[in-house]
Amino acid sequence: SRELELKTTLRELVIYIVFLADLCILTFGMVSMDMYYLNKVMSHLFLEPSSSEEDRSGFKSIGSRADFWRFAEGPLLDGLYWDKWYNNTTLTLQNNSSHIYYENLLLGVAQIRQLKVRNNTCSIYPYFRTFLEDCYSEYRYRAEDRSDFGLRNESEWKYTSATSLSPWYWGTVGLYSSGGYMFTLPKSKQESMEKLVFLRQNSWLTRGTRVVFIDFSTYNANINLFCIIKLVVEFPATGGALTSSHIYSVKLLRYITYYDYFLASCEIAFCLFIITFIIQEAIKIVKLKKEYFRSAWNWLDLLLLVVSILAIAFNIYSTVEVSLLMEELLSDAHVYPDFYFLAFWQVLYNNMIAVNIFFAWIKILKYVSFNKTMTQLSSTLSRCAKDIIGFAIMFFIIFFAYAQLGYLVFGSQVEEFSTFQNCIFTQFRIVLGDFNFETTEAANRILGPIYFITFVFFVFFILLNMFLAIINDTYSEVKADFEVIPSQELQIRDLFRQSCNKALVKLKLKK
């Protein structure tokens, strides 16, 4: 019985290693170093500040509405429209198309979109109502302004409902819808400049403006990558401006080279593996029934299968959707093609595959559990699970108490403590030794040092050492118990020896 179990485990391990190799080829085939370098050059062009210290027109230096117009009329147009060579000779543009860095084709035109809130959407304390007539709250969907304003004769002055499948944007201070007041830039740099100047002079940005999106897409045929860029400027209710950006380099056209077709064959093999695993797990569930769900490894198998099925379904959907939308998006060169929807879901798909391969690697531990060391580790964790749960409750009570203390004392002055989530991450960084003590001391000269010293003492010196003591004590007990049990590794060695002897006898190399 033991020999049969070992044979079955080893056979499953070999099959699973083949499956894991196929999955690794697929995942590494989806990404390349070109994606990083393409993101880097686009980030350098549109996000990095100018070399001149007096130039405040860079995207990251935007701090007001005036700064936004300086960026839009300067670095943005310079980056979008490349009509000259490095020696200032004029380029011959095909179909009046711009090639950013001479290699990246600008698809269609760029789009600029803003979202506003209505006036009198917040409450004013009675004492100040005589001083304040207008009140614009932070962005909320119910407070969004959808009425026409300004000149009212062009589309940029009229609200456009969300017609595309683009998801809402989660910004720094709000969650923003897909509609808004939008306009596209013409194909000519001069016409774009005139349009931006016209909108600035007629106050297209108002006090109610809460966010502005700048969207455009490029395609590099040299490396077959689309680069979808979204520049976001938020104007919070506090005043000023906050900037953020998303630059996605994705491979939407998937089957072009011979290597791409090799990846397609790996995808087919992956689907066959998943179908086989589904049948195996179904047979196990029928045989074991409720006992099947009492094993953590079985739950891991189910999770791996569910994520794999979702990845396969999304892969098929994405391939079909890209083939249907590509011609439609590129049909008119004077219209903004919304590739952000495709890029956003492609990135989610990549994240799904990353989670999938993570659990796939973890599953290997199931097949090497016959190893003595691995068995000792798993037994140690299972035996001390109750003690660790009790310790975790005590640890997080103290941990969250310090997090709330730090948020209330330093939150208004120190960025690391500006939100409760940041406090939690900051305290984990303190445990790892990555912390700026000077900022907390400057925020509060008395409570800053007290907070830091007591946190390090209780959490780092006491609680973490208690956790290590629990693990060490349990491991010593498990190791002592395993000294009495005969090693299974010898049985595996004997199994290999018997298999080799049988093979030699069949080949008549040994009697």
Side-chain angles (χ1 to χ4, degrees), residues 52-71:
S52 174
E53 295 182 358
E54 298 179 358
D55 188 3
R56 295 283 297 169
S57 59
F59 178 75
K60 291 185 176 180
S61 63
I62 294 177
S64 64
R65 291 169 176 81
D67 292 338
F68 169 79
W69 289 116
R70 277 195 292 268
F71 166 76

Side-chain angles (χ1 to χ4, degrees), residues 306-321:
V306 170
V307 177
S308 299
I309 293 171
L310 291 176
I312 293 171
F314 185 84
N315 188 17
I316 297 173
Y317 168 77
S318 176
T319 304
V320 174
E321 195 70 19

Side-chain angles (χ1 to χ4, degrees), residues 340-363:
Y340 182 76
F341 160 72
L342 297 176
F344 177 81
W345 289 107
Q346 182 65 34
V347 170
L348 285 184
Y349 168 72
N350 293 345
N351 295 339
M352 189 187 305
I353 290 295
V355 173
N356 194 13
I357 196 170
F358 170 79
F359 287 120
W361 277 103
I362 296 298
K363 187 180 174 181

Side-chain angles (χ1 to χ4, degrees), residues 12 22 70 95 104 106 123 158 172 199 265 269 292 318 323 388 469 491 496:
E12 290 180 355
D22 179 71
R70 277 195 292 268
N95 300 323
N104 303 280
L106 178 64
S123 301
K158 300 178 181 179
T172 305
L199 293 174
S265 64
Y292 176 88
S318 176
S323 62
I388 291 179
Q491 298 182 18
F496 277 115

